[in-house]
Amino acid sequence: MDTLFRSELIRYGEMAQACYDAFDFDPFSKYCGSCRFPRREFLAGLGMDSAGYEVTRYLYATSNINLPNFFKRSRWPQVWSKKANWIGYVAVSNDEKSRVLGRRDVTIAWRGTVTRLEWVADLMDFLRSISADKIPSPDRTVKVESGFLDLYTDKNEECHFCKYSAREQVLTEVKRLMAMYPDEEMSVTITGHSLGSALAMVSGYDIVETGINVMDDSRVVPVCVYSFSGPRVGNVRFKERVELLGLKVLRVVNVHDVVPKSPGWFFNEGVPMAVMKAAEGLGLPWCYSHVGVELALDHKSSPFLKPDADAVCAHNLEALLHLLDGFGLSSGRDHALVNKACDFLKDDYMVPPNWRQDENKGMVRGEDGRWIQPERPKLDDHPNDMYLHLSQLDLGMN
């Protein structure tokens, strides 16, 4: 693989991995479902100071949708939010990084599921017209899995964090950042793992379909999606529309991972197109097609990984990054990272499974000597001028 391209893939994979490393998924934490770090300390808190990006916005979604295993809730009666979960962030490259890249890069990173795969069973396996959720499309036959659409477009106006949909949050922030750098070459890169890659695909389509990536001087900013271990998202018409709009998609998968094989177990891109068209014509709701170019990897080729590991290991993002890096032989990426949240490395390497955790699970000793959960700084919700940005976009949102 080209050295520069390899490093690009790993960088965006690490930005997706940061969503997991920063997410508080402990039900005994009063901040369960939130990000563990304030926005301005996000990259530093994860040891990613040298990434060359500034996080400009946190993204939230309402938990009142039909993907219950995606959301995490605290057992505490008083919590930061009972209706929202943190699902990612928007970042922009700083001046130094932009000079290296040759462009000002806006990156959107979406969080996927944390450890388990139960969310796959939550997929309603029901395709819905993307235009039914106010995402513009000249063709009502362009359809996306309904759970993904709900996660992207639903909101709860009673909650500070999800009174605006994830869609509204993303589009306004991309437009705001593009307006900040009107004279520069720019790019929009969207990344995500697992269910997060489905959100990356839907938001990438939305950005190019609505024309958010068109500058005031009519220059078109390139948009691409790096999908890691992502499921199928939409039907054949969705795939064709994505290609027509020029959205570039690269899907990195482990050939032994079950998630990229769903939904659409029987009617998918592997079936002759005539059969797919006939099935869609009959109104069958489970005809799905992958989008873009696939980069298939095989964990059984790595001398570090257990060949007979379980389904969760085969879906692990750190394992994909390990494979992308040539098992650590390319840049020397530490193979111990694979076991941060699973038990995938062979026992010979003496790396304990699931080793990433907060010191003392976040408990600290108070002035009276008792162990307590410390309070965290107030979480960012939305800019005060959010409604102004929405009205300027004029996308028919309400």
Side-chain angles (χ1 to χ4, degrees):
M1 186 184 295
D2 178 80
T3 302
L4 180 59
F5 181 53
R6 185 197 303 269
S7 65
E8 286 268 301
L9 272 179
I10 293 174
R11 181 175 78 251
Y12 290 116
E14 288 176 338
M15 294 182 81
Q17 177 65 41
C19 292
Y20 291 126
D21 295 344
F23 186 60
D24 189 340
F25 56 90
D26 183 358
F28 290 97
S29 166
K30 68 180 72 174
Y31 298 99
C32 180
S34 72
C35 181
R36 296 190 295 117
F37 305 103
R39 176 174 58 82
R40 292 173 180 80
E41 300 173 14
F42 180 84
L43 294 173
L46 295 171
M48 298 174 65
D49 312 63
S50 61
Y53 283 77
E54 175 193 352
V55 176
T56 64
R57 176 102 187 232
Y58 276 174
L59 304 174
Y60 302 92
T62 175
S63 58
N64 297 335
I65 65 170
N66 196 39
L67 285 171
N69 286 309
F70 176 71
F71 290 93
K72 300 297 175 182
R73 289 186 172 88
S74 174
R75 297 185 182 184
W76 284 62
Q78 299 295 324
V79 295
W80 71 283
S81 174
K82 294 182 179 180
K83 300 180 183 297
N85 259 204
W86 179 80
I87 58 165
Y89 61 94
V90 181
V92 65
S93 56
N94 60 26
D95 291 345
E96 181 180 357
K97 189 68 174 182
S98 298
R99 283 193 292 270
V100 172
L101 296 174
R103 66 190 190 279
R104 183 77 62 172
D105 183 47
V106 176
T107 295
I108 305 163
W110 294 99
R111 176 178 70 82
T113 46
V114 181
T115 55
R116 299 179 181 176
L117 301 183
E118 287 97 333
W119 66 272
V120 176
D122 292 329
L123 295 181
M124 297 169 63
D125 206 22
F126 178 70
L127 288 159
R128 191 165 78 229
S129 174
I130 201 164
S131 60
D133 286 85
K134 299 183 179 178
I135 300 177
S137 174
D139 185 351
R140 290 189 61 83
T141 64
V142 173
K143 297 180 179 180
V144 169
E145 200 280 328
S146 60
F148 303 153
L149 276 178
D150 288 341
L151 185 56
Y152 184 60
T153 61
D154 277 14
K155 56 186 173 183
N156 188 319
E157 295 185 358
E158 297 177 359
C159 173
H160 286 301
F161 297 96
C162 50
K163 64 182 178 181
Y164 299 108
S165 67
R167 179 190 188 225
E168 293 170 334
Q169 296 167 50
V170 165
L171 295 187
T172 54
E173 185 63 10
V174 171
K175 193 66 175 178
R176 186 186 73 84
L177 289 172
M178 288 178 56
M180 286 181 61
Y181 306 100
D183 301 321
E184 297 188 25
E185 293 295 322
M186 298 192 71
S187 62
V188 177
T189 310
I190 314 168
T191 184
H193 171 258
S194 189
L195 198 150
S197 78
L199 289 170
M201 203 77 73
V202 173
S203 57
Y205 165 85
D206 194 14
I207 288 170
V208 296
E209 184 70 272
T210 56
I212 296 296
N213 62 318
V214 179
M215 304 284 278
D216 289 341
D217 60 3
S218 299
R219 283 182 296 133
V220 178
V221 173
V223 181
C224 71
V225 173
Y226 289 124
S227 160
F228 296 88
S229 304
R232 296 185 181 95
V233 174
N235 63 354
V236 173
R237 290 296 298 129
F238 176 74
K239 170 184 178 292
E240 293 171 345
R241 186 67 184 166
V242 164
E243 293 172 347
L244 180 64
L245 291 168
L247 174 64
K248 303 300 181 184
V249 177
L250 179 68
R251 296 181 297 103
V252 184
V253 303
N254 182 347
V255 295
H256 303 288
D257 185 3
V258 299
V259 172
K261 299 178 175 65
S262 63
W265 290 94
F266 303 109
F267 292 98
N268 55 56
E269 68 284 346
V271 174
M273 183 59 68
V275 176
M276 284 286 284
K277 293 288 188 181
E280 287 193 346
L282 293 172
L284 298 182
W286 49 80
C287 301
Y288 287 81
S289 180
H290 268 309
V291 176
V293 176
E294 179 178 275
L295 174 57
L297 305 173
D298 185 345
H299 75 254
K300 294 185 178 182
S301 65
S302 170
F304 293 89
L305 305 181
K306 298 174 182 177
D308 56 350
D310 62 23
V312 173
C313 289
H315 188 58
N316 185 272
L317 176 54
E318 281 288 2
L320 275 185
L321 300 181
H322 166 79
L323 296 174
L324 280 172
D325 197 44
F327 327 133
L329 300 177
S330 178
S331 69
R333 198 168 191 277
D334 192 350
H335 62 265
L337 293 171
V338 172
N339 264 18
K340 278 198 303 189
C342 68
D343 184 9
F344 206 173
L345 287 172
K346 292 178 179 177
D347 295 341
D348 301 350
Y349 296 100
M350 303 300 293
V351 177
N354 301 293
W355 57 259
R356 180 180 60 81
Q357 55 185 291
D358 294 337
E359 184 178 5
N360 297 322
K361 294 192 173 181
M363 298 287 282
V364 298
R365 193 186 293 273
E367 294 181 358
D368 60 357
R370 294 182 179 274
W371 288 89
I372 60 172
Q373 286 193 17
E375 299 295 330
R376 292 182 188 169
K378 179 180 178 294
L379 287 170
D380 288 343
D381 45 28
H382 305 291
N384 294 329
D385 57 355
M386 178 74 178
Y387 186 78
L388 174 63
H389 291 309
L390 281 177
S391 61
Q392 290 175 340
L393 288 176
D394 189 28
L395 298 175
M397 301 175 182
N398 57 39

